């Protein structure tokens, strides 16, 4: 059976299918006679759950950094929460029932209580209680730790995957993702891309696919369930060719990003956190062109402190060993909601109170981040970039605040370096006044994801519109040229950090337009390098 989907990342995967369900195990109520033994069963399962969470924490620490890993520590603490534990043991004692039932009832009660609260932060705790309770129940029922316990790597099928679930997956055991929902421009899709494996969204796979053989064609957006021998053979050959290409790409490591006729361009990596740095370096990134700092805020339960941010930025700067690291200041709002900010619900969040608008309004938050950034600048080569700019006056305000922060650091005797300041060009307004903006900053980086959304008036999150969300639109291409020209006239360097930067069908166009830099997912760096090295600009 062949099904169509939308590709998030190219490549071929062939393997067993595993349908991933958010854990929601059915629990029976069983009368027991030995209350003490049942309480002990619960205690043991709770300890085992904490041990598993400890393993998750260590794994997440390596892969996504401390801030993102912290959720697992929180879950460990919740398992020891006195009210929670007392409720479970009480149910076992008073009703003389099995531990599974006591945990399930307590989990349901607590999560309903959290869900009904007014505060967004507390609401989010509902999912956490459910999660930890389900973990204890699975242990009591003797189930494995998760979907990825088998030895054989699988193609993972899911309704949807949250960024946090993506992080938890064992990447050595996932050949590919296929989900029913999601949009190619969502942040989950961006995360999937950094994992460097073929992925499809919008595939309506049948529930009974579990355990069957499947093929994912991430190039054409096709999914095959129980393919016939002929198809299988075709894809085995394709995959061999692919693997060979991948080996070839690895040979490109250490080579320059230079065209056949000698034009050079910088190729940097987009990252979401400290843990992506290893991947950026493994793929030979010349620097970090976009560090989406909002992930530090998204994965945290409260405003990340200056110290926590400083440590994250410093680690990236140090690991990049003097190479340029461009850190974008907080870009929340729209599709990236953070409960503790207490943002109001908006009719039109993509055009609402977000990104730099919040920072200029809530100066305390902005100054904390800027202070952390300037302090970290001492340990490497940090540039700061500001999102969603629409006016010169915004940039002037930003520069004033940055100057205040520097003056405060001077007064405190804290060292920092010269930091390049740049802006993202991701609104049509910024494009049209790029001649004026160029006088104010050191560089421009074009955010084609949002620029396409705002220029074409197409919500990047709406999967129904994926087919007309066209970043190759002549309007966008003209804008790109305009920004390069206006930037260069004032001595600004100009790059692209939106997903379009990795589109190799446009690499030659970007080189001809005069771009100085392209910042792409780590996994795309060597592909783009290959394209650059095979381009001859003198040929036409
Ligand atoms: C963009 O808009 O192109 C961009 C790079 O930023 P984000 O995808 O994080 O909005
Ligand atoms: Mg953007």
């Amino acid at each position: 059976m062949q099904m169509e989907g939308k590709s998030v990342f190219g490549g071929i995967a062939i393997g067993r299918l595993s349908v991933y369900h958010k854990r929601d195990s059915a629990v029976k109520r069983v009368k027991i006679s030995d209350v003490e033994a049942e309480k002990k069963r619960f205690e043991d399962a709770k300890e085992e759950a904490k041990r598993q969470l400890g393993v998750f924490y260590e794994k997440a620490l390596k892969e996504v950094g401390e801030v993102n890993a912290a959720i697992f520590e929180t879950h460990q603490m919740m398992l020891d929460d006195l009210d929670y534990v007392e409720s479970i043991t009480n149910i076992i004692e008073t009703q003389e029932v099995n531990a599974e039932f006591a945990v399930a009832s307590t989990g349901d009660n607590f999560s309903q209580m959290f869900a009904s609260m007014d505060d967004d932060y507390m609401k989010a705790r509902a999912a956490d209680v459910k999660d930890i309770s389900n973990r204890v129940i699975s242990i009591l029922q003797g189930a494995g730790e998760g979907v990825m316990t088998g030895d054989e790597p699988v193609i993972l099928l899911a309704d949807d995957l949250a960024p946090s679930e993506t992080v938890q997956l064992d990447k050595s055991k996932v050949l590919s993702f296929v989900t029913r929902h999601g949009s190619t421009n969502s942040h989950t899709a961006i995360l999937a891309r950094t994992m460097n494996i073929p992925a499809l969204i919008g595939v309506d796979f049948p529930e009974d696919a579990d355990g069957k053989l499947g093929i994912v064609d991430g190039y054409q957006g096709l999914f095959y369930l129980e393919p016939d021998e002929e198809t299988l053979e075709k894809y085995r050959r394709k995959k061999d060719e692919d693997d060979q290409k991948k080996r070839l790409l690895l040979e490109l490591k250490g080579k320059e990003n230079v065209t056949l006729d000698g034009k050079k361009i910088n190729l940097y990596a987009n990252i979401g956190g400290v843990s992506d740095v290893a991947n950026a370096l493994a793929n030979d990134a010349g620097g970090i062109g976009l560090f989406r700092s909002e992930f530090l805020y998204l994965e945290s339960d409260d405003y990340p402190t200056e110290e926590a941010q400083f440590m994250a930025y410093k680690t990236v700067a140090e690991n990049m060993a003097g190479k340029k690291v461009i850190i974008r200041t907080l870009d929340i709002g729209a599709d990236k909601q953070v409960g503790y900010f207490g943002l109001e619900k908006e009719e039109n969040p993509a055009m609402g109170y977000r990104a730099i608008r919040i920072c200029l309004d809530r100066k305390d938050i902005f100054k904390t981040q800027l202070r952390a950034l300037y302090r970290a600048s001492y340990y490497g080569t940090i540039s700061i970039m500001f999102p969603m700019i629409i006016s010169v006056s915004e940039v002037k305000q930003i520069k004033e605040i940055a100057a205040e922060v520097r003056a405060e650091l001077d007064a405190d005797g804290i060292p920092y370096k010269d930091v390049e300041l740049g802006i993202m060009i991701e609104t049509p307004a910024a494009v049209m006044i790029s001649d004026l903006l160029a006088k104010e900053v050191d560089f421009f980086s074009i955010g084609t994801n949002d620029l396409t959304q705002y220029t074409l008036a197409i919500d990047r999150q709406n999967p129904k519109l994926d087919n007309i969300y066209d970043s190759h639109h002549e309007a966008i291409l003209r804008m790109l040229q305009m920004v390069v020209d206006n930037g260069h006239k004032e001595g600004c360097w100009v790059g692209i950090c939106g997903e379009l930067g990795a589109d190799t069908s446009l690499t030659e166009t970007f080189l001809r337009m005069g771009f100085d830099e392209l910042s792409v997912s780590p996994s795309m760096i060597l592909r783009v390098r290959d394209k650059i090295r095979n381009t001859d600009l003198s040929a036409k």
Side-chain angles (χ1 to χ4, degrees):
M1 195 196 308
Q2 178 188 324
M3 276 166 263
E4 280 182 25
K6 282 175 202 142
S7 173
V8 168
F9 191 74
I12 307 288
I14 304 173
R16 285 280 146 225
L17 303 171
S18 171
V19 179
Y20 172 66
H21 291 290
K22 310 216 185 256
R23 213 183 268 290
D24 222 359
S25 350
V27 168
K28 285 204 191 80
R29 185 177 195 274
V30 182
K31 273 272 178 202
I32 47 110
S33 49
D34 191 344
V35 165
E36 285 314 308
E38 204 57 20
K39 278 174 23 190
K40 169 98 179 27
R41 269 187 78 225
F42 163 64
E43 274 303 326
D44 291 348
K46 176 166 81 88
E47 288 313 306
E48 170 59 15
K50 279 163 58 186
R51 187 197 64 76
Q52 290 181 2
L53 288 164
V55 174
F56 278 168
Y57 176 80
E58 291 303 325
K59 178 168 177 293
L61 192 63
K62 271 193 240 122
E63 291 178 0
V64 293
E66 202 176 327
V67 181
N68 298 342
I71 183 70
F72 302 116
E73 276 187 328
T74 310
H75 280 191
Q76 278 179 321
M77 280 181 325
M78 288 173 82
L79 276 170
D80 277 332
D81 177 79
L82 277 185
D83 291 336
Y84 179 75
V85 173
E86 232 175 68
S87 163
I88 292 166
T89 45
N90 268 343
I91 293 176
I92 297 176
E93 276 169 9
T94 56
Q95 302 185 27
E96 295 179 2
V97 287
N98 54 330
E100 288 89 333
F101 180 79
V103 175
S105 319
T106 302
D108 284 348
N109 291 342
F110 277 56
S111 82
Q112 268 167 26
M113 180 183 76
F114 283 128
S116 67
M117 289 186 176
D118 241 0
D119 179 317
D120 278 349
Y121 173 78
M122 296 312 279
K123 268 198 201 333
R125 299 278 76 76
D128 292 327
V129 181
K130 260 227 132 56
D131 200 13
I132 57 166
S133 304
N134 285 339
R135 180 167 305 283
V136 176
I137 294 169
S138 318
I139 294 164
L140 285 164
Q141 292 176 330
E145 282 185 28
V147 271
M148 296 297 108
T149 45
D151 283 339
E152 189 190 6
V154 294
I155 295 173
L156 193 71
L157 307 183
D159 254 354
D160 202 356
L161 287 171
S164 57
E165 285 170 315
T166 318
V167 159
Q168 280 183 51
L169 296 171
D170 181 343
K171 287 161 196 137
S172 66
K173 298 206 174 132
V174 183
L175 299 169
S176 168
F177 290 104
V178 177
T179 67
R180 290 199 174 107
H181 308 295
S183 115
T184 42
N185 308 298
S186 68
H187 282 267
T188 301
I190 291 172
L191 264 186
R193 241 167 255 143
T194 61
M195 282 179 63
N196 199 6
I197 56 172
L200 300 179
I201 58 169
V203 177
D204 199 16
F205 59 82
E207 224 20 67
D208 67 357
D210 197 67
K212 294 181 176 157
L213 190 68
I215 299 176
V216 173
D217 177 347
Y219 297 115
Q220 300 192 65
L222 294 175
F223 172 65
Y224 296 87
L225 179 62
E226 298 191 297
D228 57 37
E229 207 32 61
E230 198 184 324
T231 312
L232 202 56
E233 197 39 50
K234 182 177 107 188
Y235 275 104
R236 280 199 186 113
R237 270 201 310 275
K238 259 197 169 163
K239 191 170 164 6
D240 281 348
E241 283 167 23
D242 234 37
D243 290 345
Q244 206 168 351
K245 253 197 199 144
K246 271 192 200 140
R247 276 194 294 278
L248 242 178
L249 283 175
L250 277 181
E251 284 171 23
L252 287 169
K253 278 184 78 166
K255 302 264 164 65
E256 276 191 308
N257 309 307
V258 60
T259 61
L260 291 167
D261 55 319
K263 183 165 171 61
K264 289 185 190 165
I265 187 165
N266 289 321
L267 259 187
Y268 294 168
N270 291 349
I271 62 167
V274 178
S275 63
D276 294 334
V277 174
N279 201 12
L281 287 171
N283 284 287
D284 222 12
I288 302 297
L290 168 64
F291 176 171
R292 290 181 162 95
S293 73
E294 58 275 10
F295 279 103
L296 294 176
Y297 294 74
L298 279 166
E299 308 284 346
S300 169
D301 289 339
D302 203 346
Y303 298 99
T305 59
E306 178 186 320
E307 206 52 34
Q309 293 192 57
F310 165 67
M311 287 308 293
Y313 305 146
K314 174 172 175 271
T315 308
V316 175
E318 283 177 339
N319 288 346
M320 290 305 291
K323 289 181 177 152
K324 204 190 275 286
V325 175
I326 302 172
I327 303 176
R328 173 175 78 185
T329 58
L330 179 61
D331 183 14
I332 61 154
D335 59 318
K336 290 171 275 187
Q337 287 294 333
V338 183
Y340 56 84
F341 270 75
L343 301 179
E344 282 166 24
K345 263 216 154 359
E346 296 177 299
E347 279 290 319
N348 242 325
M351 297 199 215
Y353 185 65
R354 58 174 295 195
I356 201 67
R357 300 169 185 179
I358 297 178
C359 289
L360 290 177
D361 188 37
R362 297 182 62 178
K363 245 173 94 176
D364 50 330
I365 297 173
F366 194 34
K367 278 181 88 169
T368 303
Q369 179 166 39
L370 288 177
R371 229 180 118 91
L373 285 166
Y374 272 108
R375 282 176 58 197
S377 72
Y378 186 69
Y379 301 89
T381 309
I382 285 183
S383 305
I384 309 178
M385 173 156 86
F386 304 95
M388 285 295 295
I389 296 297
I390 57 165
S391 71
V392 173
S393 97
E394 282 170 340
V395 179
K396 289 200 163 139
Q397 286 178 65
I398 290 167
K399 282 164 64 180
E400 264 170 38
I401 298 171
E404 269 173 42
V405 168
R406 288 194 302 268
E408 286 167 18
L409 290 174
D410 287 339
D412 295 343
I414 297 174
Y416 58 90
K417 282 196 198 156
D418 253 354
V419 171
E420 268 192 339
L421 298 183
I423 54 172
M424 291 197 63
I425 301 285
E426 52 185 346
T427 62
V431 173
M432 298 312 291
I433 59 164
S434 49
D435 55 336
L436 306 175
L437 291 167
K439 295 185 206 299
E440 300 293 332
V441 295
D442 301 308
F443 66 93
F444 286 156
S445 187
I446 305 184
T448 50
N449 308 338
D450 277 317
L451 186 59
T452 306
Q453 146 163 285
Y454 295 123
T455 304
L456 305 185
I458 292 176
D459 179 359
R460 65 189 263 196
Q461 293 286 113
N462 188 338
K464 270 210 195 99
L465 303 174
D466 263 3
N467 56 336
I468 54 166
Y469 176 95
D470 175 18
S471 299
H472 290 216
H473 195 292
E474 184 60 24
I476 304 294
L477 299 180
R478 286 188 197 180
M479 285 177 155
L480 297 183
Q481 185 67 69
M482 185 172 175
V483 174
V484 172
D485 294 345
N486 282 335
H488 284 176
K489 266 185 219 145
E490 295 294 338
C492 283
W493 64 260
V494 185
I496 299 178
C497 63
E499 299 291 297
L500 193 66
D503 185 335
T504 48
S505 70
L506 285 176
T507 307
E508 180 171 342
T509 307
F510 296 150
L511 287 159
R512 287 189 187 279
M513 284 179 168
F515 276 99
D516 305 287
E517 178 242 23
L518 298 173
S519 190
V520 302
S521 292
S523 54
M524 289 303 295
I525 291 174
L526 295 174
R527 292 187 202 200
V528 179
R529 175 172 298 165
D530 191 34
K531 186 73 193 179
I532 294 167
R533 292 177 64 85
N534 284 300
T535 299
D536 185 356
L537 298 175
S538 66
K540 279 184 222 154

